[in-house]
Amino acid sequence: MDKPRSTNLRPLADVLRKTLTAAFAKQGFASVELVTRWSEIVGAEIAAHSQPEKIQWPRTPQAKAAPEPGTLLLRVEGPAAVEIQHLADVIVGRVNQFFGWQAVAGLRLRQAPLSRRAGPRPAPTSDPAAMRRIAASLPEIKDEKLRAALARLGAAMERD
């Protein structure tokens, strides 16, 4: 009888976390969460017009017990830059509260379009009249679910 083989399967999230952590570390981020949870950290209104790009840390040797705070570089949409600049103290405070220590001392803004992730598209609505007409043209299909699916497909194809 063969012994069951042990596999080294790991959750994809664990593998990606290591990869993303290394990539984000190159940009000065101590944790991936600053980018992935930006909206939760600074609020939806500020996050709608800004994205963290990197944290620039001082180049001085770290002989102290606590590291010196860095500067957070934010990508900001042009018209919102002035408002974001006025909210700099609020943003710095929220980021530091998230980290639990004074990680950031200030902001530097870079005006540029945000690289937004495409959100989920709303499900298209099908024309009920077209669906009924197409379903009626498929009398040879006996399975009701299949006929309904084909009717939805046909109506979507007509719409597009």
Side-chain angles (χ1 to χ4, degrees), residues 14 26 33 36 38 44 49 53 63 76 78-79 85-89 95 100 108-109 114 117 119 122 128 130 143 160:
D14 292 346
K26 288 181 182 177
E33 283 80 19
T36 60
W38 182 244
H49 303 288
E53 284 197 338
V76 181
Q85 185 66 46
H86 286 293
L87 294 170
D89 290 339
V95 168
R108 227 178 76 215
L109 305 181
L114 300 182
R117 288 178 281 173
D143 186 348
D160 293 337

Side-chain angles (χ1 to χ4, degrees), residues 72-97:
L72 177 61
L73 177 61
L74 286 183
R75 180 185 293 208
V76 181
E77 290 179 324
V82 173
E83 185 175 349
I84 298 292
Q85 185 66 46
H86 286 293
L87 294 170
D89 290 339
V90 173
I91 294 169
V92 167
R94 290 179 182 174
V95 168
N96 288 335
Q97 183 179 11

Side-chain angles (χ1 to χ4, degrees), residues 12-34:
L12 182 60
D14 292 346
V15 175
L16 285 177
R17 184 173 292 112
K18 289 179 183 177
T19 304
L20 289 175
T21 300
F24 280 96
K26 288 181 182 177
Q27 295 299 318
F29 292 114
S31 72
V32 177
E33 283 80 19
L34 182 64

Side-chain angles (χ1 to χ4, degrees), residues 31-67:
S31 72
V32 177
E33 283 80 19
L34 182 64
V35 175
T36 60
R37 296 177 59 193
W38 182 244
S39 182
E40 295 172 44
I41 295 168
V42 297
E45 186 64 31
I46 293 171
H49 303 288
S50 65
Q51 288 177 320
E53 284 197 338
K54 67 179 174 179
I55 297 177
Q56 293 177 324
W57 299 101
R59 294 182 185 236
T60 58
Q62 298 293 326
K64 302 176 187 176

Side-chain angles (χ1 to χ4, degrees), residues 44 71 86 94 107 118 142:
T71 301
H86 286 293
R94 290 179 182 174
L107 293 182
K142 302 297 182 207

